[in-house]
């Protein structure tokens, strides 16, 4: 542990955001640009410094701690949570990705959003997001991470709905927010569960307390299982996995840089990060890792197939992101029970490489739309290679990377995942210890497990093939063939596609669109960023060349090893190359198919196919109707319940009974008292007199001052009664006694002393009356006595 | 307080039973009856006269009767005060106001809400009989003739300027306030009536002005 | 010797008569007179008790009541004049604008 001013990393973007939000409008665009980009760049520099300190000055297991925030944060009874920051080898990488790619996207945005009237707000939110993401990454405990987690969710919401003048954007933002909330709920529950069992939420302390999570059994399962599954729920929300992925494609309503930064490179990987961060919890419950992997694999294939049929450039990339996140989930979910190691490194590695090539792809798409004045439909593009060479080349590189073509980065990270999952075996080889394992084992010991891994491998392979296919379909439809868009004139350019929101950014280029080219290359701020990311997408993979291929070159794995132990699999070099060859072949098939069908624009076969629109096509094109299914299964029941609640509870009970009821009571009283308050003075006087009469009448019947209390003394059958007249009238009171409680009173006398002898034993009810002779008032008290 | 002040009456309850036995009326008692009938007759006349002046005059008669009653109770100072203040001052005020508001009434009785009022009359009768029932037979603690100085200006003044000095001053301030208030309420606000007329004229004429000439609006 | 309760009962009768005037008459002037009757009835009881106990305090009270009654009459009559000026009437059953 070494101290380091870690707080600077998130604080710097926050300061930028605060200044931009508070006084940004007065500062002017240039200052905002400098401030926001500069603060993120500064954060990047501090991150690099932290990385170097971590690399050079500390032992491999060391970590940096930032004590700046480390004051008691939440204190209640035994609960004592401090807000601390820590940077270990894992968060250092994430930090570099967030600040580095974040900075590039900031630079890109200066050109992309140049003509947006809400330039300041955009950069403020972008900075806010960066800071929140850094809090998430650097948090040394779950609550701090959760603050960042919610912060990025908020920023995502704000930025999806950035162009809030259109309802669709606001709805998309709301959808993202609501769906994420489901995940957040799981995350929160996991946090509570962990705290209730271990008493700590710090990652470093948690690792030592993990046996407490395994020791507690709930419903026949260690609590670790529930924690793992709840964390997974949170992760599926944030990382857009089945079943909560539906918000991500809609999130493309935001500006393209946002899609690149938040919905491709950083925020959506938070789920992967948290799973890796809490890896010890998952290892205590290996089946949950299997669930992670299965969810990831299904999502990967599912989203990839949807991506094939999408026509919107950003939608394709969105589904691609969902699919690639599925790969990452498989990576972090891969577990080998015989070596007790998991493939977190591959998942994180893919996270990093994906950040580069997917950011490059999104920014390329943004560049294309920028050049086409907001056109996002790939069917109306084509031939753009002529006008947008930089965009075209960088896009091609990124496509090759995501398709996993040797030796680009995607190849290495994807093969690390694919190779790992083949070997995966999640369950202990010993006798099953709980019913979940018993169910999974069936009868054949761990055979089932092997099969599960072998099932996931082809699924992923297919997903990889689909990825290659739709990415190159996208590439060729956009850049290959001939331009298929509407005939262009500069005037038409300015207004034809006005409904697409990226026109906001593009309007400024109208004035130099006189060459009648349908598209134009983007300014340097965009192309330079694209090239940096493309180069990153090429070279970043070389940091993670597996040991079996070339020992000593797995810098990435070596770096992560202190935090995330590497997967120890019995894999030889030849096996690796075999997997690589298979994956390459599948990708090649995908690319080839894409070339045949889309190499020169959509082939006739494709047009016919789409025109006939068979059921399968429609199914995929409509994203498997998942939104509709959710609408039917979740939204409508919720709406119906809400409707019922609204009608039955809100409208009827609250509004009618309570609100209107009170009003009705008041107005009813008003209507009644209207007859009293009729302005007729004389009736008021009558009321006064009646009131006086009532007071006199009641007052003379019940003497509130007189109270007859009496005491009894029993001796054998003799009973003595002593009455006490109370109040101011006591002096003149007279008394009489009813000895049997039958209403027959004895003589009235001024003396309060009475004596009576009963004939027979038993209970007798005695009543004593005190009489005020002047007013004729009587007060009575009775009691039961027992005589022998 | 009230209760304690009443309580000593209890001590004399027994005496009253014997003191009221004989129906032989003494001279003062006969005088009392004459004055009582005069007073009650004046009161009834007050509330039944259609003519306001007649009502006020009946009231003055009642006040004279009451002054006589006070005198019979040895409250000579108050008797004089009753005549001076009530019959003299307050009634003069009434007469002035009646002169100002001199209107003959078409219908002297307020019939509206008559059922409520009947209830009120019954309540009133109940109230008075109930209280009267308990007051009946109350006798004086000191039936003997009071000392010569009782009820004189000196004695009342002494009480008033010692025990009730503060109350006396408060009442004087109250009277001052009442005089000022009466002047303020009854006064015609400095041409107030014409103010109102101007306001209503504005209300009726402004729309017409607004329609005909736009520039008039600037003045309003 | 006049029994003291005679005066009290006379006061009760005067009070009833005054109250009836207040309740039943339309004319606010007569109502004010009724109120004066009520006040005088109260005064009569005060003076009667004063005599019964040979205590001049009650007479001081009666004095104060007369003063307050004078103030009341002055203000009440002024209000009547004000009302009459606005509404040309002092009939209480017409003075019901509070109702609307």
């Amino acid at each position: 542990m070494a101290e380091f001013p870690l707080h600077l990393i998130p604080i710097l973007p926050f300061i930028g955001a605060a200044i931009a939000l508070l006084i940004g409008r007065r500062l002017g665009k240039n200052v905002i640009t400098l401030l926001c980009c500069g603060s993120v760049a500064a954060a990047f520099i501090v991150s690099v410094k932290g990385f170097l300190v971590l690399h050079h000055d500390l032992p491999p297991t060391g970590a940096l701690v930032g004590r700046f925030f480390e004051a008691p944060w939440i204190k209640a009874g035994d609960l004592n949570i401090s807000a601390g920051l820590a940077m270990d080898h894992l968060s250092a990488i994430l930090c570099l990705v967030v600040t580095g790619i974040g900075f590039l996207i900031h630079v890109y945005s200066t050109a992309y959003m140049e003509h947006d009237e809400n330039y300041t707000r955009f950069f403020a939110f972008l900075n806010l997001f960066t800071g929140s993401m850094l809090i998430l990454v650097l948090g040394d405990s779950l609550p701090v991470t959760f603050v960042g987690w919610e912060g990025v969710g908020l920023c995502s919401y704000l930025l999806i709905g950035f162009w809030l003048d259109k309802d669709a954007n606001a709805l998309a933002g709301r959808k993202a927010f609501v769906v994420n909330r489901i995940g957040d709920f799981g995350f929160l529950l996991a946090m509570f569960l962990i705290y209730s069992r271990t008493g700590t939420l710090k990652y470093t302390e948690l690792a030592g307390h993990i046996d407490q999570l395994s020791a507690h059994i709930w419903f026949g399962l260690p609590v670790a299982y529930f924690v793992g599954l709840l964390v997974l729920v949170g992760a599926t929300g944030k990382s857009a996995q089945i079943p909560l992925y539906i918000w991500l494609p809609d999130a493309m309503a935001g500006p393209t840089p946002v899609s690149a930064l938040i919905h491709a490179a950083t925020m959506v990987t938070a789920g992967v990060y948290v799973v890796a961060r809490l890896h010890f919890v998952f290892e205590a419950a290996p089946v949950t890792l299997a669930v992670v992997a299965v969810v990831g694999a299904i999502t990967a294939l599912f989203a990839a197939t949807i991506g094939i049929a999408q026509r919107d450039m950003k939608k394709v990339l969105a589904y691609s992101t969902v699919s690639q996140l599925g790969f990452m989930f498989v990576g972090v979910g891969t577990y080998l029970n015989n070596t007790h190691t998991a493939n977190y490194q591959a998942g994180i590695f893919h996270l990093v490489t994906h950040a580069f090539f997917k950011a490059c792809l999104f920014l390329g798409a943004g560049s294309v739309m920028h050049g086409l004045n907001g056109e996002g439909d790939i069917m109306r593009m084509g031939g753009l290679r002529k006008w947008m060479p930089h965009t075209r080349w960088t896009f091609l590189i990124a496509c090759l990377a995501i398709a996993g073509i040797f030796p680009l980065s995607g190849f290495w990270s994807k093969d690390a995942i694919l190779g790992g999952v083949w070997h995966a075996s999640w369950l202990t080889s010993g006798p099953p210890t709980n019913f979940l394992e018993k169910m999974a084992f069936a009868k054949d010991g761990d055979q089932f497990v092997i099969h599960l891994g072998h099932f996931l491998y082809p699924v992923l392979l297919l997903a990889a093939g689909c990825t290659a296919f739709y990415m190159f379909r996208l590439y060729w439809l956009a850049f290959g063939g001939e331009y298929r868009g509407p005939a262009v004139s500069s005037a038409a350019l300015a207004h034809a596609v006005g409904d697409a929101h990226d026109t906001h950014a593009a309007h400024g280029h109208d004035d130099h669109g006189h060459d009648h080219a349908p598209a134009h290359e983007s300014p340097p701020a965009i192309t330079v960023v694209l090239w940096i990311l493309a180069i990153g997408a090429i070279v970043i993979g070389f940091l993670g060349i597996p040991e079996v291929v070339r020992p000593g070159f797995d810098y990435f794995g070596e770096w992560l090893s202190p935090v995330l132990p590497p997967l120890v699999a019995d894999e030889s070099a030849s096996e690796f190359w075999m997997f690589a060859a298979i994956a390459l072949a599948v990708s090649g098939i995908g690319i080839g198919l894409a070339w045949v069908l889309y190499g020169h624009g959509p082939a006739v076969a494709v047009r016919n196919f789409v025109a006939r629109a068979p059921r399968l096509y429609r199914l995929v094109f409509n994203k498997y109707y998942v939104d509709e299914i959710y609408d039917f299964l979740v939204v409508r029941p919720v709406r119906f319940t809400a409707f019922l609640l609204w009608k039955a509870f809100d409208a009827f009970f609250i509004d009618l009974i309570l609100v209107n009821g009170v009003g009705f009571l008041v107005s009813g009283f008003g209507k009644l008292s209207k007859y009293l308050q009729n302005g007729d003075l004389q009736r008021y006087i009558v009321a006064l007199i009646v009131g006086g009469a009532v007071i006199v009448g009641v007052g003379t019947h019940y003497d509130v001052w007189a109270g007859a209390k009496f005491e009894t003394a029993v001796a054998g059958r003799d009973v003595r009664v002593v009455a006490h007249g109370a109040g101011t009238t006591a002096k003149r009171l007279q008394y009489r006694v009813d000895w049997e409680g039958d209403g027959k009173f004895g003589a009235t006398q001024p003396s309060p002393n009475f004596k009576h002898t009963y004939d027979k034993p038993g209970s007798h009810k005695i009543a004593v009356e005190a009489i005020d002779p002047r007013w004729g008032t009587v007060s009575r008290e009775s009691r039961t006595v027992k005589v022998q | 307080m009230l209760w304690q002040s009443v309580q000593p009456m209890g001590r004399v309850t027994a005496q009253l039973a014997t003191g009221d036995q004989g129906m032989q009326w003494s001279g003062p008692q006969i005088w009392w009856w004459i004055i009582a009938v005069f007073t009650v007759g004046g009161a009834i006349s007050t509330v039944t006269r259609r003519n306001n002046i007649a009502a006020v005059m009946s009231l003055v008669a009642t006040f004279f009767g009451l002054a006589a009653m006070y005198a019979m109770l040895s409250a000579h100072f108050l008797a004089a005060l009753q005549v001076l203040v009530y019959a003299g001052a307050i009634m003069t005020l009434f007469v002035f106001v009646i002169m100002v508001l001199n209107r003959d009434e078409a219908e002297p009785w307020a019939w509206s809400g008559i059922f409520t009022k009947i209830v009120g009359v019954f309540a009133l009768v109940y109230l008075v009989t109930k209280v009267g029932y308990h007051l009946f037979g109350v006798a004086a603690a000191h039936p003997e003739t009071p000392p010569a100085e009782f009820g004189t200006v000196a004695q009342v003044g002494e009480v008033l300027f010692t025990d009730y000095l503060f109350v006396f001053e408060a009442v004087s301030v109250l009277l001052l306030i009442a005089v000022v208030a009466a002047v303020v309420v009854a006064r015609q606000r400095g041409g107030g009536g014409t103010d109102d007329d101007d306001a209503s004229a504005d209300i009726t004429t402004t729309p017409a002005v607004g329609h005909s000439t736009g520039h008039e609006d600037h003045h309003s | 010797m006049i029994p003291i309760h005679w005066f009290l009962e006379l006061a009760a009768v005067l009070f009833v008569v005054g109250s009836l005037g207040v309740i039943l008459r339309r004319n606010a002037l007569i109502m004010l007179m009724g109120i004066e009757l009520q006040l005088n009835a109260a005064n009569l009881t005060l003076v009667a008790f004063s005599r019964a106990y040979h205590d001049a305090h009650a007479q001081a009270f009666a004095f104060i009541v007369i003063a307050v009654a004078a103030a009341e009459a002055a203000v009440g009559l002024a209000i009547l004049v004000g009302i009459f000026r606005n509404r040309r009437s002092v009939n209480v059953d017409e003075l019901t604008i509070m109702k609307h």
Side-chain angles (χ1 to χ4, degrees):
Chain A
M1 293 284 169
E3 288 209 32
F4 188 80
L6 284 178
H7 61 274
L8 285 179
I9 303 176
I11 280 270
L12 284 167
F14 277 148
I15 291 173
I19 294 173
L21 275 178
L22 292 176
I23 53 171
R25 286 188 177 276
R26 284 183 224 147
L27 291 179
K29 209 170 261 189
N30 290 333
V31 181
I32 291 294
T33 308
L34 206 65
L35 177 78
C36 292
C37 295
S39 62
V40 176
F44 178 66
I45 291 166
V46 180
S47 303
V48 170
K49 175 67 181 161
F51 176 84
L52 292 176
V53 171
L54 212 54
H55 191 257
H56 293 304
D57 304 347
L58 288 179
T61 53
L64 299 172
V65 289
R67 297 221 181 275
F68 184 77
F69 288 125
E70 209 163 41
W73 174 31
I74 303 171
K75 229 178 157 174
D78 295 338
L79 182 69
N80 191 357
I81 294 168
S82 64
L85 299 178
M87 184 195 255
D88 62 2
H89 292 70
L90 173 60
S91 38
I93 287 185
L94 266 292
C95 239
L96 289 177
V97 170
V98 171
T99 52
I101 295 191
F103 171 68
L104 290 177
I105 292 172
H106 269 74
V107 172
Y108 175 95
S109 304
T110 57
Y112 191 85
M113 301 297 287
E114 194 180 357
H115 300 284
D116 196 286
E117 56 193 83
N118 289 310
Y119 186 85
T120 307
R121 181 160 63 95
F122 180 81
F123 273 89
F125 287 166
L126 220 52
N127 261 30
L128 197 63
F129 167 79
T130 311
S132 303
M133 189 68 201
L134 289 167
I135 291 269
L136 191 160
V137 167
L138 289 173
D140 72 339
S141 59
L142 275 166
V144 183
T145 298
F146 190 68
V147 168
W149 181 277
E150 293 295 329
V152 293
L154 170 70
C155 295
S156 166
Y157 163 78
L158 291 173
L159 285 164
I160 292 169
F162 180 73
W163 288 311
L164 30 76
D165 49 341
K166 259 183 92 179
D167 281 349
N169 299 343
L171 284 177
R174 198 177 70 188
K175 185 177 181 182
F177 205 72
V178 170
V179 173
N180 264 302
R181 198 119 295 277
I182 301 169
D184 296 344
F185 189 57
F187 192 97
L188 214 51
L189 285 182
M191 212 151 77
F192 296 157
L193 201 50
I194 289 174
Y195 187 81
S196 72
R197 295 298 144 186
T198 64
T200 180
L201 287 167
K202 269 200 160 156
Y203 298 126
T204 46
E205 293 170 11
L206 207 51
H209 289 77
I210 206 64
D211 48 325
Q212 287 167 330
L213 286 181
S214 317
H216 284 85
I217 306 292
W218 269 17
F219 308 111
L221 280 175
V223 167
Y225 280 82
F226 295 98
V227 174
L229 290 174
L230 286 171
V231 171
L232 177 62
V233 170
T236 52
K238 197 58 88 189
S239 286
Q241 296 296 290
I242 288 175
L244 300 179
Y245 73 91
I246 44 163
W247 64 271
L248 185 57
D250 286 24
M252 297 303 133
T256 309
V258 170
S259 307
L261 178 62
I262 301 182
H263 305 121
T266 55
M267 184 189 85
V268 289
T269 62
V272 181
Y273 169 75
V274 165
V275 172
R277 186 44 89 193
L278 293 173
H279 65 93
F280 34 82
V281 176
F282 285 92
E283 281 162 19
V287 175
T288 55
L289 277 180
V291 176
V292 171
V294 170
V295 166
I298 294 173
T299 310
L301 180 59
F302 188 77
T305 51
I306 297 176
I308 289 175
Q310 295 307 304
R311 284 176 58 137
D312 186 272
M313 206 171 193
K314 284 177 75 180
K315 281 276 162 69
V316 175
L317 293 175
Y319 281 104
S320 164
T321 304
V322 175
S323 171
Q324 296 300 310
L325 287 165
F327 275 88
M328 293 174 213
F329 265 62
V330 175
V332 292
T334 299
Y335 183 72
L336 259 67
N337 74 64
N338 49 357
T339 56
H340 298 293
T341 52
N343 208 6
Y344 310 116
Q345 290 186 358
I348 299 297
F349 188 35
H350 196 58
L351 188 161
V352 174
T353 58
H354 174 260
F356 278 91
F357 53 69
K358 185 51 66 66
C360 185
L361 285 170
F362 262 116
L363 297 185
S367 173
V368 168
M369 284 151 68
H370 194 217
L372 287 174
N373 290 292
E375 179 60 65
D377 185 352
I378 46 177
M379 290 304 165
R380 289 154 58 128
M381 295 179 186
L384 298 181
R385 63 188 181 282
K386 281 175 261 179
W387 303 294
M388 309 182 82
H390 296 295
T391 308
R392 178 256 179 126
W393 283 114
T394 53
F395 204 85
L396 178 60
I397 291 168
C399 278
L400 289 169
I402 197 174
I405 300 304
F406 180 84
L408 278 70
S409 59
F411 168 80
W412 302 106
S413 57
K414 193 182 283 182
D415 269 12
I417 291 170
L418 283 171
V421 79
W422 177 261
H423 298 286
S425 54
W426 282 277
L427 303 181
T428 51
S429 51
T433 53
N434 57 52
F435 74 92
L436 210 63
E437 291 182 0
K438 274 178 199 150
M439 270 164 54
F441 271 109
K443 283 182 180 172
D444 302 330
D446 58 1
Q447 288 303 302
F448 175 86
V449 182
I450 308 267
H451 289 309
L452 184 59
H454 290 189
F455 271 122
L456 294 188
Y457 178 76
V459 167
L460 282 188
L461 211 54
L462 196 56
C466 288
T467 305
F469 174 75
Y470 67 68
M471 285 317 302
F472 276 88
R473 166 180 176 268
L474 183 60
Y475 171 73
W476 274 310
L477 281 177
F479 298 98
E482 292 304 318
Y483 182 66
R484 296 180 300 281
V488 199
S489 70
S490 51
L493 268 179
H495 302 107
V497 281
D499 62 341
H501 257 305
D502 285 46
T503 42
H504 282 275
H507 275 312
H509 295 274
D510 293 346
D511 44 1
H512 50 87
H514 295 294
D515 53 358
H516 291 268
H520 57 84
E521 185 56 285
S522 301
I526 288 179
T527 51
V528 167
V529 167
L530 286 177
W531 273 112
I532 294 173
L533 288 170
I535 291 166
I538 297 173
V539 301
I540 206 84
F542 294 116
L543 292 173
I545 298 172
E547 289 288 312
V548 289
V549 178
R550 183 100 193 237
F553 274 81
D554 189 6
Y555 299 113
F556 197 84
E558 198 185 327
W559 171 257
L560 274 182
S561 290
V563 186
L564 298 173
L567 185 76
V568 180
D570 187 19
E571 190 186 61
S572 62
S574 58
E575 250 182 324
F576 174 85
W577 286 118
M578 187 190 74
F579 286 129
I582 293 170
L584 272 174
V586 170
S587 293
I589 291 169
I591 295 169
L593 205 57
W595 169 253
V596 171
L597 293 177
Y598 297 100
H600 305 285
V604 181
V606 176
R607 287 170 197 263
N608 289 342
F609 182 77
V610 171
R612 275 190 289 121
R615 247 179 228 164
L616 182 67
Y617 173 77
R618 272 183 291 161
L619 183 66
V620 176
F621 182 75
N622 290 312
K623 307 152 220 166
Y624 296 104
Y625 298 103
V626 169
D627 277 332
E628 286 77 6
I629 292 169
Y630 279 5
D631 184 58
F632 184 75
L633 289 181
V634 181
V635 178
R636 273 158 201 257
V638 167
R639 275 211 182 150
F640 183 68
T641 317
F643 178 80
L644 276 188
L645 283 177
W646 168 49
K647 279 290 180 199
F649 188 75
D650 203 52
F652 180 74
F653 185 70
I654 300 281
D655 280 359
L656 200 68
I657 303 282
L658 290 188
V659 178
N660 286 352
V662 169
F664 180 78
L665 272 183
V666 171
S667 76
F669 269 121
K671 273 173 190 160
L672 285 178
S673 57
K674 181 174 86 179
Y675 296 105
L676 301 175
Q677 296 285 331
N678 60 355
D680 188 339
L681 197 63
Q682 291 169 325
R683 280 196 234 183
Y684 297 169
I685 297 167
V686 166
L688 194 73
I689 291 167
V690 171
V694 167
I695 288 172
V696 168
V698 172
T700 52
H701 273 99
Y702 301 96
D703 183 355
V704 289
W705 293 281
K709 303 280 179 216
F710 66 96
E711 286 163 9
T712 51
V714 182
R717 290 189 184 172
D718 293 342
V719 178
R720 289 172 61 83
V721 166
V722 182
H724 303 282
T728 52
T729 59
K731 278 181 198 165
R732 64 167 183 261
L733 287 184
Q734 298 191 332
Y735 306 92
R736 57 182 188 162
V737 179
D738 168 16
W739 293 103
E740 296 293 345
D742 53 3
K744 289 178 190 157
F745 281 90
T748 305
Q749 58 178 62
S751 161
N753 299 312
F754 296 88
K755 194 180 169 190
H756 184 72
T757 308
Y758 285 101
D759 311 339
K760 50 182 190 289
S763 295
H764 300 275
K765 191 181 170 196
I766 298 176
V768 176
E769 276 188 355
I771 301 155
D772 181 348
R774 179 176 298 166
W775 300 103
T777 55
V778 174
S779 82
R780 181 183 295 188
E781 182 87 7
S782 61
R783 191 179 309 160
T784 303
V785 293
K786 255 184 186 166
V787 295
Q788 268 85 41
Chain B
M1 284 298 285
L2 173 71
W3 203 245
Q4 283 165 354
S5 70
V6 170
Q7 199 179 354
M9 294 192 311
R11 287 184 269 131
V12 298
T13 310
Q15 296 173 7
L16 75 101
T18 53
D20 214 26
Q21 285 295 325
M23 290 300 284
Q24 295 295 93
W25 284 351
S26 60
Q29 286 176 335
I30 294 167
W31 274 113
W32 186 89
W33 276 107
I34 293 167
I35 297 167
V37 168
F38 176 75
T39 310
V40 172
I44 290 172
S45 171
T46 303
V47 298
T48 51
R49 288 308 89 196
R50 191 175 288 223
N51 186 332
N52 289 334
I53 293 292
V56 170
M57 287 310 140
S58 306
L59 192 58
V60 171
T62 310
F63 287 158
F64 273 109
L66 276 168
M69 285 287 173
Y70 292 171
M72 292 179 84
L73 286 164
S74 307
H76 307 291
F77 172 57
L78 268 185
L81 218 57
Q82 177 81 4
V83 173
L84 284 175
V85 175
Y86 265 117
I90 298 180
M91 284 308 107
T92 311
L93 198 60
F94 266 91
V95 171
F96 265 121
V97 172
I98 286 164
M99 293 306 172
V100 171
L101 318 180
N102 195 11
R103 296 239 156 172
D104 278 340
E105 283 185 282
E107 171 57 60
W109 303 102
W111 295 109
S112 67
I114 191 65
F115 295 109
T116 319
K117 286 170 185 173
I118 287 169
V119 170
V121 171
F122 276 112
L124 186 69
V125 170
Y126 172 80
L127 185 67
V128 171
T129 50
K130 189 82 186 173
V131 175
Y133 171 77
H134 289 292
L135 291 180
F136 188 82
V138 169
H142 303 283
E144 72 276 9
T145 308
E149 75 273 14
F150 180 76
T152 57
V153 181
Q155 196 193 26
V156 177
E158 192 189 334
V159 173
L160 215 47
F161 290 112
T162 54
D163 293 355
Y164 299 106
L165 179 62
F166 180 76
V167 180
F168 182 83
E169 295 299 335
V171 165
S172 62
V173 173
L174 179 73
L175 277 170
L176 179 66
I177 294 170
V179 168
V180 174
V183 170
V184 168
V185 170
R187 181 179 62 121
Q188 259 191 333
R189 274 168 288 163
T194 50
D195 267 357
D196 286 347
D197 290 344
D198 287 351
S200 60
D202 273 354
I203 290 166
T204 50
T205 55
T206 302
V209 171
H211 281 297
S212 56
T213 50
H215 67 88
E216 289 283 348
D217 288 359
H218 296 295
H219 296 292
S220 56
Chain C
M1 190 67 246
I2 304 160
I4 204 74
H5 62 90
W6 287 17
F7 292 95
L8 302 178
E9 282 142 16
L10 173 65
V13 169
L14 282 176
F15 187 85
V16 169
V17 172
S19 298
L20 290 176
V22 171
I23 293 175
L24 296 174
R25 286 299 297 258
R26 281 177 91 201
N27 193 328
L29 270 168
I30 306 290
M31 281 179 68
L32 276 181
M33 294 182 205
I35 292 170
E36 296 299 334
L37 275 178
Q38 288 174 314
L39 284 164
N40 274 284
N43 256 359
L44 184 56
T45 59
L46 281 172
V47 177
F49 281 123
S50 170
R51 165 69 183 74
Y53 293 99
H54 287 193
D55 189 343
H57 281 73
Q59 291 192 26
F61 263 97
F63 173 84
I64 291 162
V65 169
I66 288 173
V68 172
E72 174 260 336
V75 175
L77 288 169
I79 290 172
L80 279 191
V81 170
I83 289 172
F84 181 79
R85 181 164 294 134
N86 279 329
R87 301 179 60 97
R88 299 277 142 200
S89 164
V90 287
N91 291 340
V92 276
D93 51 356
E94 291 166 20
L95 303 179
T96 55
I97 46 167
M98 292 274 279
K99 187 177 174 181
H100 307 296

